[in-house]
Amino acid sequence: MRMCAPAESPRRPRLAAEGRGVVVDIDLEKFFDRVNHDILMSRLARRIGDKRLLRIVRGFLEAGMMQSGVVVERHEGTPQGGPLSPLLANLLLDDLDKELERRGHRFCRYADDCNIYVRSQAAGESGSWRPLWPSSKASSASRSTGRRAQ
C-alpha cells in the first residue's frame, strides 16, 4: 500500500531521472461519495479479526449526515473530512495498487489521488496506464515534470 501525497512524492526526482518525466495525475471522481459499504467491509474483514472494531467502522459508514438541517441516511460513501476516510480508501484501493504494480507502472497514490509516472506525453495520453476500476471514473491530466533524463 502506498502512503504518500502524490504532489509531494519524494520519488519524483528519481523517477524523472529514470526518464519518467511525464506525470499522469488521476483523481477518482466522486470516490468518497460512491464507496460501497459491503465491499469495503469485506476488504476490512480480510485484515481485521476484531468483530467489535468492524461494527464500529460499519457504524461510522452508516452514520447519517445533515443536509439542510435534516439527518439523511447514508447507504454508500464515507464521511469526508476526518482521518478515517483516507485510511479506508487506502485499504479499499490496495487492489488497484497491486494491479498497477503488476502492469509495471511507477506511481504514488494516497486515497483517491494518484500520480503515474510515464516516459512520454504520448504514453500519458494513450491510457495504457488506465486501471480497470469500474466503480469510479478517473479524470486525469498529463503534465511534464520539467525534468528530462540526460
Side-chain angles (χ1 to χ4, degrees):
M1 181 181 336
R2 305 255 184 237
M3 295 294 289
C4 65
E8 300 174 13
S9 172
R11 302 171 66 201
R12 192 173 187 164
R14 186 176 75 224
L15 291 169
E18 290 175 9
R20 296 176 187 268
V22 175
V23 179
V24 179
D25 185 23
I26 300 172
D27 182 45
L28 296 177
E29 188 176 272
K30 304 244 184 229
F31 174 79
F32 289 103
D33 295 333
R34 296 178 178 163
V35 169
N36 181 298
H37 293 174
D38 294 330
I39 292 172
L40 176 57
M41 292 306 298
S42 71
R43 299 264 170 88
L44 287 175
R46 285 189 218 163
R47 297 172 180 253
I48 300 171
D50 186 342
K51 303 287 185 205
R52 293 174 302 168
L53 179 57
L54 292 172
R55 275 194 298 272
I56 290 169
V57 172
R58 173 69 80 169
F60 170 79
L61 292 173
E62 294 177 348
M65 60 183 172
M66 293 288 281
Q67 286 184 338
S68 303
V70 178
V71 176
V72 178
E73 289 184 14
R74 180 190 310 271
H75 299 287
E76 68 177 356
T78 64
Q80 296 180 45
L84 190 55
S85 290
L87 176 63
L88 295 174
N90 283 335
L91 290 167
L92 184 60
L93 293 173
D94 192 45
D95 290 339
L96 172 64
D97 294 347
K98 290 176 182 166
E99 176 62 18
L100 289 170
E101 287 172 351
R102 187 188 71 74
R103 293 183 184 196
H105 292 298
R106 304 295 296 264
F107 67 96
C108 181
R109 186 190 58 74
Y110 179 76
D112 67 332
D113 296 313
C114 183
N115 286 343
I116 300 175
Y117 300 88
V118 296
R119 296 189 195 297
S120 69
Q121 188 76 24
E125 292 171 357
S126 75
S128 63
W129 49 266
R130 199 175 309 268
L132 301 174
W133 199 256
S135 64
S136 297
K137 295 178 183 174
S139 60
S140 65
S142 298
R143 67 182 187 282
S144 173
T145 61
R147 297 182 213 161
R148 294 277 176 206
Q150 301 296 331

